[in-house]
Amino acid sequence: MPDPEAKVPNPRKADLERLRRDLAKEVESIRKALKNPTEEIGGDKVWVGKNARTWHTELDGRHKRLGAQVDKLLPLVDAAIRGEPEKVTASEARTYQKVV
């Protein structure tokens, strides 16, 4: 019978590290998701007038807020990774894997 206190690699930490790698690949495209529409509507080539300016202002604000929120994602995941131990007991690992 295995030692009940035997330590194994932490599967939650491994999942968080995988999430961070995947997210790092996508952050820039998410940050820029509204860039082209914002520039097109604000550039007087697609749409002009009072309503166009209103839409541009709204879209530009959303673009900036999206960028600010995306900039918080990697630090949040990094903090979660730092908070996880390298190893956990085998029973803790099994419990985590059952839940996930």
Side-chain angles (χ1 to χ4, degrees):
M1 181 170 179
D3 178 9
E5 292 301 314
K7 298 286 185 165
V8 297
N10 184 345
R12 178 176 163 81
K13 185 168 189 161
D15 284 350
L16 286 168
E17 289 168 341
R18 188 172 21 264
L19 171 65
R20 197 213 187 280
R21 283 191 304 275
D22 293 346
L23 186 58
K25 294 175 188 173
E26 301 297 328
V27 162
E28 196 58 31
S29 64
I30 296 170
R31 185 183 292 118
K32 292 181 179 180
L34 297 176
K35 183 178 185 214
N36 286 341
T38 302
E39 289 174 352
E40 288 174 4
I41 288 177
D44 293 335
K45 291 181 181 177
V46 176
W47 189 17
V48 295
K50 180 182 176 191
N51 288 339
R53 286 188 298 276
T54 301
W55 270 74
H56 171 72
T57 301
E58 174 69 22
L59 195 55
D60 187 49
R62 289 176 185 254
H63 172 65
K64 289 175 183 171
R65 285 190 302 277
L66 177 64
Q69 293 299 313
V70 168
D71 288 342
K72 295 176 184 177
L73 292 174
L74 288 176
L76 285 171
V77 175
D78 289 339
I81 291 170
R82 283 191 305 274
E84 288 293 323
E86 290 294 324
K87 297 205 177 228
V88 295
T89 64
S91 63
E92 289 172 323
R94 281 191 305 277
T95 300
Y96 172 77
Q97 290 168 336
K98 284 181 185 178
V99 173
V100 175

